[in-house]
Amino acid sequence: MKLDKTDRKILALLQRDASLSASDIAERVNLSQPPCWRRIKRLEEAGVIQRRVALLDQRLLGLNVTVFARVKLSAHGKKSLPEFEQQIGDIPEVLECHTVMGDYDFLLKIVTRDIDAYEVLFRTRLSQMPTVQEIHSNAAISRIKITTELPLEDGQLKT
Amino acid sequence: MKLDKTDRKILALLQRDASLSASDIAERVNLSQPPCWRRIKRLEEAGVIQRRVALLDQRLLGLNVTVFARVKLSAHGKKSLPEFEQQIGDIPEVLECHTVMGDYDFLLKIVTRDIDAYEVLFRTRLSQMPTVQEIHSNAAISRIKITTELPLEDGQLKT
DNA sequence: TTTGAAACACGGACCAA
DNA sequence: TTGGTCCGTGTTTCAAA
């Protein structure tokens, strides 16, 4: 799928504010509504636009703690990776889990109500996973920047 | 602001799929459409629903590399924190920047097209910031889990 | 909570460049 | 192939019972 400049403009607008209507966007990219709508549809069908979601305020929901946990699996545990991935998927407090290169195996982003809730999660679930050898937890104190907007400027993308 | 069970159900639905209409949601939470719509509006006005965004497919956009960078500022650099935060905010490839407790000061999540693009970003921007003393970069190989859905189940929230 | 009306957005048919 | 105009349908939004 190839994306021209107009497509990228549309994507940039939508990943900033998905409540914009097709005609709002049409106006900003100098198109009339139907062709603009067709482009959006096409981007959705191609999967470039994965989904539309509401972002909630963590603080207002009382979810005050974000922890980054670096996890190392035991040597034999690496055979049962699917099991580990399955278990991680089942913990709603784990927002992200990435396999990383370097001195540890996974980086997890975890959100809980407070430190106590994290401690419980850590003790009863994370450290209980049979494959886990070692976990280093680092609590985040403040969010300097946090966005879901991917960089779409020229030169950062393959088109 | 207090949230009852119905509010939390609405939030759970919207943070999974913001394309649901007010009547779709009304149906699933056993309400008629207008009161359901009023609740959504109220949640938006209170800021619990911060915004609605489109999530794009990183791979399809050719953004194949995610790097987590651990940054340490120089001792005197900690005075000019606002400057650092400003500069971070201006780099679109930096999606997240958290202040963390522990052996380093910040954790950054960075997305680029490929390793070369990261190297350029690292050399020309990140390592050039006058306040930065040390950066450890860890490339993420695969995404096991990645979601923007906050955990809303009972007991995880203050209501 | 239900009804309903006005405004608006969506999405198809069809034509022009 | 891509954009434009026209128009029917459904949704949102909000007032009134």
Side-chain angles (χ1 to χ4, degrees):
Chain A
M1 161 147 211
K2 53 180 191 163
L3 304 169
D4 64 15
K5 223 160 189 168
T6 305
D7 287 323
R8 269 177 282 148
K9 257 181 151 175
I10 291 172
L11 291 172
L13 289 166
L14 278 177
Q15 72 171 343
R16 183 155 297 165
D17 183 1
S19 71
L20 292 170
S21 70
S23 42
D24 288 335
I25 293 168
E27 200 179 322
R28 290 174 210 213
V29 299
N30 299 316
L31 276 171
S32 64
Q33 185 258 332
C36 181
W37 179 82
R38 278 197 291 267
R39 277 175 185 264
I40 295 170
K41 190 93 184 279
R42 181 170 138 267
L43 292 166
E44 278 167 351
E45 274 160 11
V48 179
I49 298 173
Q50 284 186 317
R51 53 210 307 231
R52 290 152 186 264
V53 302
L55 299 181
L56 310 184
D57 188 301
Q58 228 179 289
R59 286 276 166 73
L60 290 178
L61 291 166
L63 295 165
N64 298 302
V65 167
T66 301
V67 174
F68 289 93
R70 287 174 282 166
V71 174
K72 204 169 179 154
L73 295 194
S74 60
H76 87 283
K78 287 167 192 173
K79 291 174 196 160
S80 49
L81 234 150
E83 192 194 338
F84 174 79
E85 297 181 4
Q86 159 81 44
Q87 290 181 77
I88 286 297
D90 289 345
I91 304 176
E93 289 91 342
V94 177
L95 267 43
E96 299 188 21
C97 174
H98 304 261
T99 315
V100 291
M101 301 193 302
D103 39 319
Y104 51 101
D105 299 316
F106 299 98
L107 182 65
L108 276 61
K109 180 180 173 182
I110 299 165
V111 166
T112 61
R113 176 176 180 163
D114 50 33
I115 290 287
D116 287 351
Y118 179 71
E119 196 275 328
V120 171
L121 179 71
F122 182 89
R123 183 163 38 76
T124 64
R125 305 204 62 180
L126 299 177
S127 68
Q128 291 306 308
M129 288 194 273
T131 48
V132 167
Q133 180 178 87
E134 205 181 324
I135 306 178
H136 284 114
S137 304
N138 284 100
I141 302 167
S142 68
R143 284 173 260 293
I144 309 297
K145 178 180 186 178
I146 185 156
T147 180
T148 55
E149 285 177 45
L150 299 175
L152 297 183
E153 281 77 41
D154 282 345
Q156 286 154 8
L157 290 185
K158 90 163 160 228
T159 53
Chain B
M1 161 145 210
K2 52 179 190 161
L3 305 170
D4 63 17
K5 223 160 190 169
T6 304
D7 287 323
R8 269 178 281 147
K9 258 181 151 173
I10 291 172
L11 292 172
L13 288 166
L14 279 177
Q15 72 170 342
R16 183 155 298 165
D17 182 2
S19 70
L20 292 170
S21 71
S23 42
D24 289 334
I25 292 168
E27 200 180 322
R28 291 174 210 212
V29 299
N30 298 317
L31 235 58
S32 62
Q33 187 256 338
C36 181
W37 178 82
R38 274 197 294 273
R39 278 176 186 261
I40 295 170
K41 193 90 186 279
R42 182 170 137 266
L43 291 166
E44 277 166 352
E45 274 160 10
V48 179
I49 297 173
Q50 283 187 318
R51 54 210 306 230
R52 290 151 186 265
V53 302
L55 300 181
L56 310 184
D57 188 300
Q58 226 178 290
R59 288 275 167 74
L60 290 178
L61 291 166
L63 295 165
N64 298 301
V65 167
T66 301
V67 174
F68 290 93
R70 287 173 282 167
V71 174
K72 203 168 181 154
L73 294 195
S74 60
H76 86 283
K78 288 170 191 171
K79 292 174 194 159
S80 50
L81 234 151
E83 193 194 337
F84 175 79
E85 298 181 3
Q86 159 82 46
Q87 290 182 75
I88 286 297
D90 289 345
I91 305 176
E93 290 90 342
V94 176
L95 301 192
E96 299 188 21
C97 175
H98 304 260
T99 316
V100 290
M101 301 192 301
D103 39 317
Y104 52 101
D105 299 316
F106 299 97
L107 182 65
L108 276 61
K109 179 180 173 181
I110 299 165
V111 166
T112 61
R113 176 175 179 161
D114 51 35
I115 290 287
D116 286 352
Y118 179 72
E119 197 275 330
V120 171
L121 179 72
F122 181 90
R123 183 164 38 76
T124 64
R125 306 205 61 181
L126 299 178
S127 67
Q128 293 305 309
M129 289 193 272
T131 49
V132 167
Q133 181 178 86
E134 203 181 326
I135 307 180
H136 284 115
S137 304
N138 283 101
I141 303 167
S142 69
R143 286 173 260 293
I144 308 296
K145 177 180 186 177
I146 186 155
T147 181
T148 56
E149 288 177 43
L150 299 175
L152 296 183
E153 281 77 40
D154 283 343
Q156 287 155 7
L157 291 184
K158 92 163 162 227
T159 52

